[in-house]
Amino acid sequence: MKIKLEGVTKRFDDVVAVNDFSLEFEEGTLTALLGPSGCGKSTMLNMLSGILPVTEGKIYFDNDDVTDMPPQKRGVGLVFQNYALYPHMSVLDNICFPLEIQKVPKAERIEKAKEMARLVKIEQYLDRKPKELSGGQQQRVAIARALIKNPRLLLLDEPLSNLDARLRLEMREEIRRIQQETKVTTIFVTHDQEEAMSISDKIVLMKDGYLMQVDRPQALYDEPQKLFVANFLGNPPINNLEGKIKDGKFVLADDSASVKVDLKSAVEGEEVVLGIRAESVGVDDDADFEAIIKERFTMGKEELAILKLGNSELRIYLSSDFTHKPGEKVGFKLKNKGVFLFDKKSGERK
Amino acid sequence: MSAKTKSGTFNRSFEPWLYLLPFIFGIVVFTLYPVINVVLISFKEGYRLLTGAFDSIGVENYLKVISDPYFINGIKNTAIYVITVVPIATAISLFFANLLNQKIRGIAIFHTAYFLPLVTSATAVGLVWKLMFNGQFGVINYLLGIFNIGPFEWITDPRMNIYTLIIYGIWNMIPFTTILLLSGLQNIDPLYYTAAKVDGASSSKMFFRITVPLLAPTIGLTCVVNTISASKVYGELFPLFNGRPGIARNLYTVVFYIYEKFYVDWDLGSAAAASIILFLIIFVFTMIQLQIQKRWKYY
Ligand SMILES: Nc1ncnc2c1ncn2[C@@H]1O[C@H](COP(=O)(O)OP(=O)(O)OP(=O)(O)O)[C@@H](O)[C@H]1O
Ligand SMILES: [Mg+2]
């Protein structure tokens, strides 16, 4: 099912939790709602499920206007952050419950529940109580319960945040697998950029209730349209240098160094932020800037260096043939990819 | 060295007892001693309070009590009272607790109205109820009259007395039970209801499939506590029937019987024996209830 938002806004008294969202979620895709805590992700999700009414705007499922439709009529499956499994019911009863509500005959719903249990790989735990399961297993039960009524839309609110690091990796692959097997249009909430980057078809990046950018994960990383987007994605984080354009070059705010860059739409004298990803710096005789190597260190299998450029610092990845030692002054060249200029005030990409 | 350590441990384990001493002393003197004394007195025939003298030891008191028609009547009335008042009061309290737990504007005023009986004098309230039960100008007959029921002589007709007592007992039991159930309800994660609602559950479905099972331990607790307190019904009789057990001494309860044997007849042996019998009945019933409720605990 395709979902369309038109100017969707949610206000709580004087807080604007979601501000004027217009976008589309394509049929059969997995979309991540990504953003820092309090940016309105849960609010957005709850408006899609119908738990929260919208203040303004319209929501369409395919071509139906569902803005005023109550949750139970929308045909959405919901997975809560802490799963909200009924503690007094067995796993089987939990999964069956949505069908029990629909008065589906018992034999039929048990049949269907077993099918769901197979899909999420918890067949052997059907008789247990939720308390007797691990976090990951509870998560699977919650997904099975959300999927049993063949929802048109599956919504997951921070589905992985209660799991430990290893289980998170495993479960995010599982969510991807289940989504691809069932082809159900899925939207999940996360504040972990890596999680969003690794499994989603598209990312909706939000901040303080505002829509920052919607794109494929790689496109979001390669072509951030705002400084916030560039900062939010990537590990190690992107290097930000504040300065202005002078004589066709980027000059640090304290005039301590300059960098030759492609100016795009930036004009002479303009105050800008230069964003440089750690992997976008190489060594070349035709140097864009000169910097002193302050420190070299290894992190896992990667080698990194901290460069001193004027009074600022840069953190970059080194190639395996890099031989210079700390203290040396070296000429570096910027790659085409991963170097951005942003307007200092608005944060918009140049 | 080792002797020193030993005395050290001894001191350390002895010290707490020292602090507990006043408390233990209190329990022994004010709880344990009277209880043991009641057991002893129940076996002493012809026991006289002032001298402490008695004729012989035996089960004479018990035989006398269980063949006393007033005691039998008391057991019967108490049983009827318990098995009507406890379930009905629990059901009504559950309904009210559920209502009070809704997030409705202005519900706070009902909280106050609801818990008022808890903080008002039982005797004053009892007298008001006596007026309400009045056959000619009582509000209860008036209300029933609207539905063409009655009028009943709640107070002056002995056959009606048990119903009067039951209604009053239910009313008395509701506030405390409601508080307990309400606190139980507030411990249920509202997310369960959100989840059920998204799946299209009706309110009654949610009530019976989510609220009741999750509240079962609390319901069980209130049943046990209320059964014990209802088994001891007697103070309720005073304001309603001018200090008599029913208008024609027709509505004895076990504790009223004990009270009368003690304060009116000065027959301590019978009072003690009746107390022990009541204790054993309550004990057995409580044990049975707890056994049954073990199966209610789902998690
Ligand atoms: N019921 C409410 N009443 C008032 N303000 C609310 C309510 N719910 C959310 N808000 C506010 O709306 C904003 C967005 O909240 P929301 O829960 O959607 O954030 P979130 O992105 O899900 O954050 P998190 O990652 O911490 O879960 C916050 O500023 C929050 O304080
Ligand atoms: Mg949230």
Side-chain angles (χ1 to χ4, degrees):
Chain A
M1 186 183 62
K2 184 181 80 188
I3 296 140
K4 200 164 112 201
L5 306 181
E6 270 181 17
V8 170
T9 297
K10 179 74 195 179
R11 273 188 289 272
F12 296 105
D13 301 324
D14 50 351
V15 185
V16 184
V18 169
N19 198 340
D20 195 18
F21 270 46
S22 295
L23 65 127
E24 275 186 35
F25 301 91
E26 284 151 45
E27 168 139 25
T29 57
L30 178 64
T31 308
L33 293 181
L34 176 66
S37 188
C39 70
K41 306 181 294 288
S42 299
T43 306
M44 189 67 245
L45 207 69
N46 290 339
M47 287 193 290
L48 286 168
S49 67
I51 295 173
L52 275 179
V54 304
T55 313
E56 270 164 41
K58 296 248 174 261
I59 299 174
Y60 297 92
F61 285 4
D62 283 334
N63 294 318
D64 312 329
D65 180 352
V66 299
T67 314
D68 298 317
M69 197 184 266
Q72 62 271 24
K73 297 231 173 88
R74 293 195 187 187
V76 296
L78 209 50
V79 176
F80 296 88
Q81 181 168 349
N82 55 3
Y83 322 133
L85 297 175
Y86 308 114
H88 55 291
M89 296 185 200
S90 68
V91 166
L92 182 68
D93 286 346
N94 261 288
I95 301 176
C96 282
F97 195 60
L99 296 188
E100 185 187 322
I101 291 168
Q102 292 175 6
K103 303 197 171 68
V104 173
K106 191 158 187 180
E108 198 179 313
R109 64 186 191 229
I110 289 178
E111 183 68 26
K112 191 85 206 289
K114 286 189 171 155
E115 187 188 314
M116 286 299 125
R118 262 195 302 282
L119 174 71
V120 302
K121 299 184 180 156
I122 43 155
E123 303 108 298
Q124 64 268 52
Y125 306 121
L126 287 175
D127 296 329
R128 294 214 194 156
K129 292 278 158 59
K131 204 183 72 176
E132 299 158 351
L133 299 178
S134 74
Q137 290 161 347
Q138 289 184 30
Q139 174 70 272
R140 290 167 192 265
V141 177
I143 294 173
R145 185 178 67 179
L147 285 175
I148 194 167
K149 51 180 188 178
N150 284 329
R152 300 193 286 171
L153 172 62
L154 178 64
L155 301 172
L156 307 102
D157 193 352
E158 308 231 12
L160 305 170
S161 62
N162 280 354
L163 304 176
D164 66 44
R166 271 199 37 204
L167 215 47
R168 285 170 91 117
L169 287 181
E170 183 190 321
M171 279 312 294
R172 78 184 189 202
E173 300 304 326
E174 280 296 281
I175 288 176
R176 183 61 173 160
R177 174 185 66 80
I178 293 163
Q179 194 270 331
Q180 282 179 338
E181 272 179 40
T182 56
K183 300 265 187 300
V184 60
T185 310
T186 304
I187 299 173
F188 82 106
V189 162
T190 177
H191 53 244
D192 181 342
Q193 50 114 359
E194 207 183 307
E195 212 165 278
M197 297 282 282
S198 61
I199 62 168
S200 44
D201 296 311
K202 255 193 185 166
I203 295 178
V204 175
L205 187 54
M206 314 168 50
K207 180 199 174 196
D208 298 338
Y210 286 87
L211 188 57
M212 290 285 113
Q213 195 172 339
V214 184
D215 224 324
R216 288 176 302 106
Q218 201 54 45
L220 216 54
Y221 185 81
D222 290 340
E223 298 296 338
Q225 294 308 311
K226 290 189 169 63
L227 179 59
F228 172 81
V229 180
N231 276 331
F232 201 81
L233 302 176
N235 194 13
I238 193 166
N239 299 288
N240 287 327
L241 301 173
E242 287 190 12
K244 54 185 174 297
I245 307 295
K246 206 160 134 186
D247 305 331
K249 276 182 162 185
F250 169 85
V251 180
L252 284 175
D254 57 5
D255 281 325
S256 58
S258 68
V259 182
K260 207 167 13 158
V261 290
D262 179 359
L263 292 186
K264 304 268 170 63
S265 69
V267 295
E268 190 69 17
E270 205 172 351
E271 295 204 312
V272 292
V273 176
L274 174 61
I276 303 172
R277 294 226 184 266
E279 66 275 19
S280 302
V281 178
V283 186
D284 200 300
D285 293 337
D286 174 26
D288 287 330
F289 66 92
E290 285 194 325
I292 298 167
I293 301 163
K294 190 183 167 202
E295 212 180 301
R296 286 181 66 160
F297 56 92
T298 5
M299 218 172 69
K301 59 185 196 318
E302 314 277 8
E303 201 174 355
L304 284 107
I306 297 176
L307 306 183
K308 224 162 155 37
L309 173 69
N311 294 324
S312 298
E313 284 187 354
L314 283 180
R315 190 178 280 254
I316 63 161
Y317 282 120
L318 299 175
S319 57
S320 51
D321 55 356
F322 189 85
T323 51
H324 300 279
K325 302 221 158 32
E328 282 181 52
K329 190 165 194 170
V330 185
F332 292 93
K333 181 152 187 75
L334 295 177
K335 296 179 182 163
N336 288 333
K337 238 173 142 182
V339 179
F340 321 105
L341 273 179
F342 300 97
D343 186 274
K344 194 182 164 201
K345 272 208 201 71
S346 67
E348 295 287 340
R349 173 90 177 269
K350 287 288 165 193
Chain B
M1 180 68 190
S2 80
K4 212 174 172 183
T5 325
K6 242 183 204 160
S7 86
T9 7
F10 172 75
N11 278 344
R12 233 172 295 142
S13 59
F14 180 72
E15 207 180 291
W17 289 102
L18 214 62
Y19 296 131
L20 282 172
L21 209 59
F23 179 66
I24 293 170
F25 179 79
I27 289 198
V28 169
V29 171
F30 297 111
T31 307
L32 220 51
Y33 170 75
V35 167
I36 292 169
N37 220 5
V38 168
V39 176
L40 294 177
I41 292 171
S42 74
F43 290 104
K44 293 174 181 171
E45 285 153 27
Y47 179 83
R48 288 171 288 280
L49 180 62
L50 292 180
T51 56
F54 57 95
D55 303 332
S56 59
I57 299 267
V59 293
E60 196 62 37
N61 290 326
Y62 287 92
L63 295 177
K64 202 166 82 190
V65 164
I66 59 172
S67 58
D68 184 343
Y70 284 117
F71 181 75
I72 305 292
N73 185 248
I75 292 274
K76 198 186 91 195
N77 290 329
T78 305
I80 292 173
Y81 182 82
V82 170
I83 60 178
T84 51
V85 168
V86 175
I88 295 174
T90 306
I92 296 175
S93 301
L94 189 55
F95 174 76
F96 278 117
N98 209 33
L99 210 64
L100 290 172
N101 197 35
Q102 310 295 317
K103 284 176 191 63
I104 304 170
R105 228 178 272 270
I107 202 83
I109 197 151
F110 287 98
H111 282 258
T112 323
Y114 226 75
F115 301 137
L116 217 52
L118 269 186
V119 294
T120 44
S121 143
T123 312
V125 172
L127 289 172
V128 171
W129 272 88
K130 194 183 166 191
L131 289 177
M132 286 164 52
F133 276 121
N134 187 287
Q136 275 116 52
F137 50 83
V139 68
I140 293 177
N141 272 351
Y142 173 76
L143 290 176
L144 289 176
I146 295 174
F147 304 100
N148 270 330
I149 306 171
F152 299 109
E153 287 297 336
W154 297 100
I155 307 292
T156 52
D157 180 354
R159 283 169 306 170
M160 290 306 294
N161 286 172
I162 180 101
Y163 302 109
T164 311
L165 180 66
I166 285 170
I167 292 170
Y168 180 55
I170 290 170
W171 183 84
N172 251 340
M173 196 172 274
I174 287 173
F176 175 65
T177 314
T178 305
I179 292 178
L180 279 182
L181 293 177
L182 187 59
S183 77
L185 282 178
Q186 282 166 350
N187 279 331
I188 299 180
D189 189 342
L191 221 48
Y192 297 137
Y193 298 105
T194 310
K197 213 159 116 191
V198 172
D199 290 334
S202 62
S203 336
S204 71
K205 187 94 196 167
M206 288 193 255
F207 182 75
F208 288 109
R209 283 294 266 144
I210 299 174
T211 308
V212 172
L214 288 178
L215 203 59
T218 316
I219 296 174
L221 173 78
T222 61
C223 282
V224 169
V225 173
N226 285 336
T227 302
I228 293 173
S229 82
S231 304
K232 300 191 289 190
V233 55
Y234 97 108
E236 288 83 343
L237 292 162
F238 287 84
L240 290 178
F241 307 112
N242 302 332
R244 274 180 299 200
I247 211 68
R249 314 197 76 77
N250 53 320
L251 196 56
Y252 270 91
T253 66
V254 177
V255 174
F256 198 96
Y257 177 86
I258 295 168
Y259 158 82
E260 207 171 71
K261 279 288 161 220
F262 187 95
Y263 282 102
V264 182
D265 301 348
W266 287 82
D267 181 355
L268 261 69
S270 295
S275 303
I276 299 298
I277 294 172
L278 178 63
F279 165 75
L280 289 176
I281 293 174
I282 293 177
F283 183 77
V284 168
F285 267 91
T286 305
M287 284 302 132
I288 293 173
Q289 277 186 323
L290 290 178
Q291 276 308 316
I292 295 172
Q293 284 170 22
K294 263 194 192 153
R295 277 180 234 146
W296 292 4
K297 295 232 166 76
Y298 293 100
Y299 56 97

